[in-house]
Amino acid sequence: MRLSVQEVEFDAGAELNAFSAGLAGAGAVVSFTGIVRDSDGTLSAMEIEHYPGMTEAAIAAIITQAQTRWDLADVLVIHRYGKLEPSAQIMMVATASRHRLAAFEAAEFLMDYLKSRAPFWKKEIGRDGSTWVDAKDEDESALKRW
Amino acid sequence: MRLSVQEVEFDAGAELNAFSAGLAGAGAVVSFTGIVRDSDGTLSAMEIEHYPGMTEAAIAAIITQAQTRWDLADVLVIHRYGKLEPSAQIMMVATASRHRLAAFEAAEFLMDYLKSRAPFWKKEIGRDGSTWVDAKDEDESALKRW
Amino acid sequence: MEVLYFAWVRERIGLPRERVETTAPTVMALITELMAREERYALAFSDLKSLRVALDQKLSSFDAPLAGVREVAFFPPMTGG
Amino acid sequence: MEVLYFAWVRERIGLPRERVETTAPTVMALITELMAREERYALAFSDLKSLRVALDQKLSSFDAPLAGVREVAFFPPMTGG
């Protein structure tokens, strides 16, 4: 298991290769990368605040839940904080399992929980001021399927 | 869109980075990598046979179906054929969309269809002879959810 | 008409492809003709539930007509991915 | 007790953290004390539905007891991922 909460950029391809190289017995690797999206061309940056200490503990607990639920060969979670430019990578998860369904489900589970249960807050800094991103009802209800 | 049916190994990390670098407006990238799994330590190789010409057409049709169904910024499919060692990468798909749900669903859809509707046949070459991999009922029934 | 065989169908028949002169109106009629040829064909086509057919590289069904078709392929259910 | 504020709660109150001497038995009692202090606190806590609380870095609820708790954090619903 690798868990990193960091300010610096990461290389998703290098992370994916390192993750896959260490696997034994896995037939399926799923990765997810979240990217700063400039919906309407007015975003100058995304600022991500987090709760040092709690963030790592919350993510570790989410990973443990996933490992309990699915037979996973390995799990990777990287999440950045600080000021990110449009198109920058925000975070990444990877899961490995014997079969594809478990790898997909575990990655979606991790994403759903990271979204609403890990202490990160996003602020969009635009040309005309900045706004905290509102949590979506659909993100909360996404947890119900697990 | 990038579609490659090839004998040679590919670099999943480099493919993921190249795929992500070309995106505009996507917030979510999902990748899947399939690996030759040596379940019980007796596999010496996996031989993948395919139907040149039909393979490319079938995969292109599956990609078009996915693009019709989900709003995808881009799609990547790489599938190998020939003789693969245990732990070698068999294939990879990547999807990019504005939101994570579409990227995950499209990647799972592509995998389900590639599994049962693209003309590849796997043969496991073990120490005590070789066997064609049987299609699983669950792979056929996985198509029903779409 | 070109007839192609893949995976264990190819192994049982012993050829990857062959040219077949036929006036069989449907895939099923072609299968019946081939099965009558030799034991190895009869064996390859003995369990139709575990066979698939493609006409000109598109998945099709055993009752499909062969008029205008240039390439017929027989193979087991696919196991890609 | 250390009280931490994040995101717009931090901005409204104007501090990331502060030391609070209190005998409030529950989170709700602490909120009531803080709201009585100054307008900026009253404003920050005016809509509890859009607030979450963590006790010693674990998500908790407003009726949870504060006995033995060293760190209380208030923040809006999380938006990670």
Side-chain angles (χ1 to χ4, degrees):
Chain A
M1 189 266 273
R2 167 159 148 71
L3 157 56
S4 174
V5 179
Q6 61 186 55
E7 190 158 8
V8 293
E9 176 63 301
F10 58 89
D11 180 333
E15 292 289 348
L16 178 64
N17 281 349
F19 181 77
S20 301
L23 300 173
V29 173
V30 169
S31 81
F32 178 93
T33 318
I35 298 164
V36 178
R37 188 163 54 84
D38 183 4
S39 308
D40 50 7
T42 62
L43 187 81
S44 21
M46 167 88 84
E47 178 97 38
I48 301 181
E49 186 169 332
H50 79 125
Y51 184 169
M54 179 172 168
T55 310
E56 291 79 358
I59 297 176
I62 293 167
I63 292 174
T64 301
Q65 268 188 278
Q67 286 170 326
T68 307
R69 226 170 135 142
W70 291 276
D71 183 17
L72 301 175
D74 204 0
V75 178
L76 162 75
V77 175
I78 301 170
H79 204 303
R80 294 176 67 194
Y81 59 87
K83 202 165 185 171
L84 279 64
E85 312 282 301
S87 300
Q89 296 176 140
I90 302 170
M91 50 85 63
M92 171 176 188
V93 307
T95 54
S97 186
R98 294 164 64 82
H99 299 294
R100 72 186 190 285
L101 189 63
F104 270 118
E105 284 189 352
E108 292 188 70
F109 172 93
L110 289 168
M111 286 308 305
D112 284 350
Y113 273 84
L114 287 170
K115 206 94 196 157
S116 311
R117 291 292 182 271
F120 291 101
W121 300 275
K122 291 197 186 107
K123 189 182 203 171
E124 290 179 343
I125 303 169
R127 279 175 216 135
D128 315 321
S130 56
T131 350
W132 289 98
V133 172
D134 271 329
K136 293 190 202 110
D137 290 344
E138 68 197 57
D139 286 331
E140 190 60 33
S141 58
L143 301 184
K144 287 182 192 142
R145 64 170 162 155
W146 304 113
Chain B
M1 190 267 272
R2 169 158 147 70
L3 157 55
S4 175
V5 178
Q6 61 187 55
E7 190 157 8
V8 293
E9 177 63 302
F10 58 90
D11 180 333
E15 292 289 346
L16 178 64
N17 281 349
F19 181 78
S20 302
L23 300 173
V29 173
V30 169
S31 81
F32 177 94
T33 317
I35 298 165
V36 178
R37 188 163 56 85
D38 184 5
S39 309
D40 50 8
T42 62
L43 188 80
S44 23
M46 167 88 83
E47 178 96 39
I48 302 182
E49 185 169 333
H50 80 122
Y51 184 170
M54 179 172 167
T55 310
E56 291 78 359
I59 298 176
I62 293 168
I63 292 174
T64 301
Q65 267 189 281
Q67 285 170 326
T68 308
R69 223 166 138 146
W70 291 278
D71 183 17
L72 301 175
D74 204 2
V75 179
L76 163 75
V77 175
I78 300 171
H79 204 302
R80 295 176 67 195
Y81 59 86
K83 202 165 186 172
L84 279 63
E85 311 283 300
S87 299
Q89 297 176 137
I90 303 170
M91 50 84 63
M92 170 176 189
V93 307
T95 54
S97 186
R98 293 163 64 83
H99 299 295
R100 73 187 189 285
L101 189 63
F104 270 119
E105 284 189 352
E108 291 188 69
F109 172 93
L110 289 169
M111 285 308 305
D112 285 350
Y113 273 84
L114 286 171
K115 207 99 196 152
S116 312
R117 292 291 182 271
F120 291 101
W121 300 275
K122 292 196 186 104
K123 188 182 204 172
E124 289 178 346
I125 302 169
R127 279 175 218 137
D128 315 320
S130 56
T131 349
W132 289 99
V133 173
D134 270 329
K136 295 191 201 108
D137 290 344
E138 67 197 61
D139 287 331
E140 190 60 34
S141 58
L143 301 184
K144 289 185 190 137
R145 63 172 164 156
W146 305 113
Chain C
M1 172 182 298
E2 286 292 306
V3 182
L4 281 66
Y5 309 111
F6 291 99
W8 56 254
V9 183
R10 171 180 55 69
E11 289 180 342
R12 285 193 194 168
I13 292 177
L15 299 169
R17 63 192 300 150
E18 61 184 319
R19 184 144 193 93
V20 174
E21 301 303 331
T22 179
T23 54
T26 64
V27 174
M28 200 57 232
L30 173 62
I31 291 175
T32 309
E33 270 186 30
L34 292 170
M35 287 180 83
R37 279 186 171 184
E38 279 180 58
E39 184 61 24
R40 59 194 167 107
Y41 288 94
L43 191 69
F45 291 104
S46 60
D47 179 16
L48 288 183
K49 278 205 303 295
S50 59
L51 276 185
R52 301 289 180 267
V53 64
L55 301 184
D56 288 332
Q57 309 193 350
K58 289 208 156 171
L59 274 179
S60 191
S61 58
F62 296 131
D63 56 4
L66 288 181
V69 170
R70 285 155 302 148
E71 187 173 299
V72 179
F74 293 105
F75 42 77
M78 296 161 268
T79 54
Chain D
M1 174 182 297
E2 286 292 306
V3 182
L4 281 65
Y5 310 111
F6 291 98
W8 57 253
V9 183
R10 171 180 56 69
E11 288 179 342
R12 284 193 195 168
I13 292 176
L15 298 169
R17 62 192 300 150
E18 61 184 320
R19 184 145 193 92
V20 173
E21 301 301 333
T22 180
T23 55
T26 64
V27 174
M28 199 59 233
L30 173 63
I31 291 175
T32 309
E33 270 185 31
L34 291 169
M35 287 181 83
R37 277 185 172 184
E38 278 181 59
E39 185 60 24
R40 59 195 166 108
Y41 288 94
L43 191 69
F45 291 102
S46 60
D47 179 17
L48 289 183
K49 275 203 306 294
S50 57
L51 276 185
R52 300 289 179 270
V53 63
L55 301 184
D56 289 332
Q57 306 193 351
K58 289 207 158 176
L59 275 178
S60 191
S61 58
F62 295 132
D63 57 3
L66 288 181
V69 169
R70 285 153 302 148
E71 186 172 301
V72 180
F74 294 106
F75 42 78
M78 296 162 270
T79 54

